[in-house]
């Protein structure tokens, strides 16, 4: 694996803290505005052979002293905005936070061929070159080495979190790179992608949310032809690997029902009644998918923890549960660091899901075993970065707005 090779050339998997103040800028990084400077969030431009360009990554370094280990939570989306995946203020400063804003636009996945927009133009880098995204290779192999060299972050024992279309992919990344990620958090994700419904839903989501027209066959290949990788990217087909890997998987979902006037107003403001319907259907699909995964985890005693609540596919719903998700992510990382089993084996019977309006774990019983756009973010819209400072090495051009993965 490329990661192991790179680590052998100088990076250290242990990730020993180097007592470098979190306010110290690393090589290849900059503060892009006063808001992020105040939060100690550095924007770094990471050269990537697999992505054929430099990729924008945002890092909030930890404040740990020398001698301790360094762990990170990776976010497949933005970090600094309050209505974004991974609100930085919810996480303790003993952990490094790493955001890959552009990854969610193309499912944070490895593609088989070049994505093409709804306008018929291929996705290109800012250098004007067409390319085939290889997000998994970048996030799982190249980025950990960069973070180890610049921030002393360990190349093992980290967490990865994704929202909406990046939710299931966060779990996929963890399962594909268990040496890098011991924890995965999926928020309103979808897990049974290798199915007739998945063959429809995945391309439709890429097209409607991110303007990518050829998601059916360009990302994982035509699902009806040899050589496709839909099965390799189906969470339910691989979730059993989490137990053998000693990983913790955290799944959060709403039930698709609008739970407050604020949530209703958010969707109406974004697209009227049609948007209300879409927001409800998307979250109901996530809920149904989570319940099916819940049943699988309960039957086989897998280390998957579920959080159910009322709500549609909206920022109001996500903000209600992100503090609990952050706490569970940190707790899992802490157990891993302390040398305990990272798998808190909580699972539940699907019928035990709570009544609408509550936010709880799926179960009360234990199962045996272990660049960027410049538009400001608005509720229930794909979050866009607001950075306006010059970027010395821009990231790949994105189709659609940055960040949320919705």
């Amino acid at each position: 694996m490329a990661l192991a090779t790179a680590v052998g050339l100088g990076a250290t998997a242990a990730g020993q803290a180097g007592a470098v103040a979190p306010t110290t800028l690393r090589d290849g990084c900059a503060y892009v505005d006063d808001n992020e400077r105040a939060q100690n969030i550095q924007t770094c431009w990471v050269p990537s052979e697999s992505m054929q360009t430099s990729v924008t990554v945002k890092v909030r370094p930890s404040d740990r002293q020398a001698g301790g280990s360094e762990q990170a939570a990776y976010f497949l989306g933005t970090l600094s905005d309050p209505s974004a995946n991974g609100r930085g203020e919810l996480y303790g400063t003993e952990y490094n936070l790493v955001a890959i804003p552009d990854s969610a636009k193309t499912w944070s996945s490895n593609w088989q061929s070049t994505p093409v927009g709804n306008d018929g133009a291929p996705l290109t880098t800012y250098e004007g070159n067409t390319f085939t995204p290889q997000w998994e290779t970048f996030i799982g192999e190249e980025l950990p080495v960069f973070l180890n060299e610049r921030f002393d972050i360990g190349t093992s024992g980290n967490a990865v979190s994704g929202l909406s279309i990046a939710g299931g992919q966060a779990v996929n990344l963890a399962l594909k790179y268990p040496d890098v990620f011991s924890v995965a958090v999926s928020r309103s994700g979808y897990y049974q992608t290798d199915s007739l419904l998945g063959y429809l839903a995945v391309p439709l989501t890429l097209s409607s949310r991110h303007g990518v027209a050829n998601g059916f066959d360009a990302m994982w290949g035509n699902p009806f032809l040899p050589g496709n990788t839909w099965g390799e990217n189906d969470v339910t087909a691989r979730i059993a690997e989490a137990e053998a890997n000693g990983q913790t998987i955290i799944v959060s979902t709403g039930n698709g029902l609008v739970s407050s006037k604020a949530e209703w107003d958010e969707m109406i403001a974004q697209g009227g009644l049609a948007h209300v319907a879409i927001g409800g259907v998307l979250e109901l699909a996530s809920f149904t998918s989570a319940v099916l995964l819940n049943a699988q985890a309960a039957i086989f005693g897998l280390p998957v923890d579920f959080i159910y609540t009322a709500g549609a596919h909206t920022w109001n719903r996500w903000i209600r549960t992100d503090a609990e998700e952050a706490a569970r992510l940190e707790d899992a990382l802490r157990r891993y660091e302390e040398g305990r089993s990272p798998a808190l084996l909580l699972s539940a019977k699907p019928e035990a899901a709570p009544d609408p309006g509550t936010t709880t774990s799926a179960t009360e019983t234990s199962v045996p075993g272990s660049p960027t756009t410049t538009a400001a973010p608005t509720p229930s819209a794909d979050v866009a970065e607001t950075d306006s400072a010059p970027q010395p090495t821009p990231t790949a051009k994105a189709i659609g707005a940055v960040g949320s993965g919705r």
Side-chain angles (χ1 to χ4, degrees):
M1 188 177 288
L3 173 60
T5 302
V7 169
L9 292 175
T12 58
Q16 292 297 307
V20 178
T23 56
T24 300
L25 279 172
R26 273 57 164 190
D27 291 342
C29 305
Y31 294 120
V32 298
D33 58 38
D34 290 340
N35 176 50
E36 293 196 351
R37 181 189 294 272
Q39 299 179 71
N40 294 330
I41 296 174
Q42 306 181 20
T43 296
C44 306
W45 294 274
V46 184
S48 170
E49 181 179 352
S50 66
M51 294 292 290
Q52 304 161 53
T53 189
S54 289
V55 179
T56 300
V57 174
K58 292 180 177 289
V59 183
R60 192 199 74 181
S62 82
D63 58 5
R64 293 196 180 194
Q65 296 301 305
S69 64
E70 292 280 5
Q71 293 168 284
Y74 290 52
F75 298 93
L76 307 181
T78 55
L79 176 65
S80 58
D81 293 305
S83 47
N85 180 36
R87 290 161 60 198
E89 72 272 14
L90 298 177
Y91 294 83
T93 54
E94 70 270 26
Y95 295 110
N96 299 272
L97 305 183
V98 179
I100 310 102
D102 293 332
S103 69
K105 297 176 223 176
T106 43
W107 211 272
S108 304
S109 187
N110 282 1
W111 285 59
Q112 291 193 2
S113 57
T114 300
V116 173
N118 290 336
D119 61 358
L123 188 75
T124 65
T125 67
Y126 273 100
E127 294 84 1
N129 303 315
T130 60
F131 79 118
T132 302
Q134 300 293 301
W135 285 113
E136 292 173 15
T137 303
F138 172 73
I139 296 169
E141 301 179 23
E142 297 173 332
L143 182 56
V145 175
F146 174 90
L147 295 172
N148 185 274
E149 293 173 346
R150 298 295 199 279
F151 295 90
D152 300 313
I153 297 172
T155 55
S156 64
N158 301 295
V160 57
S161 176
L163 172 70
S164 192
I165 69 170
Q169 192 60 14
V171 180
N172 268 328
L173 276 164
L175 296 175
K176 292 178 181 181
Y177 293 97
D179 52 338
V180 178
F181 302 111
S182 64
V183 183
V185 178
S186 172
R187 311 173 67 201
S188 299
Y190 189 78
Y191 314 103
Q192 296 82 17
T193 52
D194 191 20
S195 64
L196 289 175
L197 182 58
Y199 305 154
L200 295 172
V202 171
L204 178 61
T205 302
L206 281 167
S207 177
S208 63
R209 293 290 177 174
H210 297 290
V212 179
N214 60 342
F216 177 77
D217 55 5
M219 185 164 66
W220 299 330
N222 188 312
F224 301 108
L225 295 179
N228 78 80
T229 58
W230 285 78
E232 297 173 23
N233 290 282
D234 187 302
V235 170
T236 57
R238 306 189 56 157
I239 192 63
E241 298 172 23
E243 183 176 22
N245 296 337
Q247 294 170 301
T248 298
I249 311 298
I250 300 166
V251 172
S252 173
T253 181
N255 60 7
L257 300 177
V258 179
S259 62
S260 68
K261 183 177 184 301
E263 193 170 10
W264 174 272
D265 290 344
E266 175 187 333
M267 290 187 288
I268 289 292
Q270 290 303 309
L273 291 176
H275 200 81
V276 173
I278 292 172
V281 168
L282 287 174
E283 199 68 11
L284 178 60
S286 174
F287 176 83
T288 303
S289 184
V291 167
L292 293 174
L293 182 65
N294 198 154
Q296 182 180 1
I299 291 170
F300 296 103
L302 303 178
V304 187
D305 189 7
F306 294 84
I307 303 171
Y308 293 107
T309 186
H313 213 67
T314 67
W315 289 118
N316 272 277
R317 186 229 106 30
W318 294 319
I319 289 173
R320 283 204 311 275
T321 59
D322 56 8
E324 179 179 358
E325 292 149 5
R328 294 195 188 198
L329 182 154
E330 287 189 331
D331 184 59
L333 285 181
R334 191 173 298 113
R335 290 196 308 275
Y336 179 89
E337 185 179 14
E338 292 172 350
R340 302 170 185 168
S341 171
L344 178 61
L345 295 186
L346 295 177
S347 187
K349 300 176 182 179
E351 60 270 20
D355 293 334
T358 61
T359 304
T360 71
S361 169
T363 153
E364 300 296 332
T365 59
S366 298
V367 177
S370 54
T372 59
T373 63
T374 56
T378 54
S380 195
D382 286 327
V383 173
E385 293 292 345
T386 57
D387 306 340
S388 56
Q391 299 184 358
T393 316
T395 185
K397 181 179 179 182
I399 298 177
V402 169
S404 72
R406 297 176 55 208

